Amino acid sequence: ATPTAIMVGTGLGAKRGVLFKNATALETSARIDTVVMDKTGTLTKGEPEVTDVVVHGLSEDDVLALTAAVERESEHPLAAAVVRYAEARQVPRLEVAGFRNVPGHGAGAQVAGRRVLVGNRKLMVDEGIDIAALVARRDELAATGRTAVMVAVDGTAAAVIALADAVRDTAAPAVAALHEAGIEVVMLTGDNEATAKRIAGQLGIDTVIADVLPGDKADKVAELQRAGKKVAMVGDGVNDAPALATADIGIAIGAGTDVAIETADVVLMRSDPLDVPIALRIGKGTLRKMR
Ligand code: ADP
Ligand code: MG
């Protein structure tokens, strides 16, 4: 590309808060045919809130006190939402020992002498928890697009906690604009398939890769590349950084984590999904001027 074309493209982007960190990113963006989007914090606002608590065998307050004690030790956004909800209900603060984080699955600890686990269904199955009493409710809640987390106390399922995370207002228009430009859109998420599919359906995304472990997102991007796709990855989280680095271009949400912003080639300062098709269009304009 001519230096002038690069300058024009970079300037156009900067006006909209679309920061291209290098000329290569600007050039590559013109050749993208597949956009892979993280769900939580990218397509959604990343501000989950508890909507339902379904208990089995214990009172809601007891379950919330036990669960919040574990989640206080976790840095996961879902954990923060559970703690906020429990604190609003003014449940007692319980002592916690032996906290353990299970990446992509959940967490566990000893709380007031009881063994508490909180996380997805896979965590419960892996830990040999009997979930029969609650699994139907979990599936129902997940099918509504909420993230359904399960709680086990002393080896038995004690609750399902559902959390909703609103989709960003411009997520659906962004997907539509990408489709109009002939670009394939893929959702990539650590969340479960039922929840992910429901939200993808609302946004008009037809390809969903769900239940992806934090360390496996980059592999999924590499798989698409091996299939011949030119991939832009859009993400916000620590767990998105390797995928942002692997993709042909990495695009970070400005409100995202520092490591995502540092790793990406393009930063969307306004955290607006509509700036994804705009970034790619700016790249195309630059390429046209080169010829
Ligand atoms: P995401 O990409 O959606 O942020 P993660 O890989 O961080 O996904 O987590 C995947 C799933 O594991 C979550 O949707 C949730 O069901 C479960 N999970 C992980 N950490 C926690 C936690 N601290 N509390 C409850 N659930 C958790
Ligand atoms: Mg995210």
Side-chain angles (χ1 to χ4, degrees), residues 6-231:
I6 300 287
M7 261 176 55
V8 169
T10 309
L12 270 175
K15 265 194 200 141
R16 274 200 71 96
V18 175
L19 304 187
F20 288 91
K21 289 198 201 161
N22 51 62
T24 319
L26 200 55
E27 290 166 355
T28 309
S29 63
R31 301 190 184 88
I32 295 302
D33 55 27
T34 305
V35 170
V36 176
M37 298 183 103
D38 160 61
K39 175 174 76 68
T40 314
T42 297
L43 292 167
T44 72
K45 293 180 177 165
E47 296 161 0
E49 284 194 43
V50 173
T51 56
D52 306 76
V53 180
V54 181
V55 293
H56 175 74
L58 290 174
S59 76
E60 194 171 318
D61 278 4
D62 285 348
V63 167
L64 286 172
L66 292 165
T67 309
V70 178
E71 296 288 44
R72 243 177 233 117
E73 306 297 310
S74 165
E75 279 166 15
H76 203 278
L78 293 175
V82 170
V83 171
R84 244 184 291 123
Y85 186 81
E87 284 177 354
R89 302 272 305 245
Q90 301 190 302
V91 298
R93 248 186 127 94
L94 304 175
E95 218 172 287
V96 53
F99 173 80
R100 135 182 99 94
N101 183 45
V102 189
H105 292 105
Q110 293 285 129
V111 183
R114 311 185 77 166
R115 199 158 52 86
V116 181
L117 276 174
V118 49
N120 60 14
R121 182 171 52 182
K122 173 107 191 333
L123 176 73
M124 301 296 147
V125 172
D126 289 350
E127 301 281 332
I129 306 296
D130 176 10
I131 57 171
L134 284 170
V135 74
R137 288 294 283 135
R138 190 224 78 98
D139 291 350
E140 264 173 50
L141 286 163
T144 67
R146 288 172 206 146
T147 296
V149 163
M150 303 191 83
V151 180
V153 178
D154 292 332
T156 306
V160 180
I161 300 178
L163 299 103
D165 184 10
V167 300
R168 292 186 188 272
D169 294 336
T170 54
V175 171
L178 289 167
H179 282 161
E180 222 160 277
I183 293 166
E184 189 182 345
V185 182
V186 177
M187 177 192 281
L188 183 62
T189 180
D191 209 343
N192 76 95
E193 185 153 15
T195 304
K197 281 209 161 139
R198 176 65 193 241
I199 292 173
Q202 287 169 8
L203 298 179
I205 297 176
D206 25 49
T207 312
V208 175
I209 310 175
D211 292 304
V212 181
L213 292 177
D216 291 349
K217 282 193 172 183
D219 287 348
K220 299 293 176 190
V221 167
E223 244 169 66
L224 289 165
Q225 290 171 317
R226 279 199 298 275
K229 311 283 189 192
K230 275 277 180 198
V231 180

Side-chain angles (χ1 to χ4, degrees), residues 210-262:
D211 292 304
V212 181
L213 292 177
D216 291 349
K217 282 193 172 183
D219 287 348
K220 299 293 176 190
V221 167
E223 244 169 66
L224 289 165
Q225 290 171 317
R226 279 199 298 275
K229 311 283 189 192
K230 275 277 180 198
V231 180
M233 167 77 200
V234 191
D236 70 313
V238 175
N239 61 352
D240 295 319
L244 291 171
T246 301
D248 296 281
I249 8 176
I251 303 179
I253 294 292
T257 57
D258 291 348
V259 56
I261 289 167
E262 278 156 25

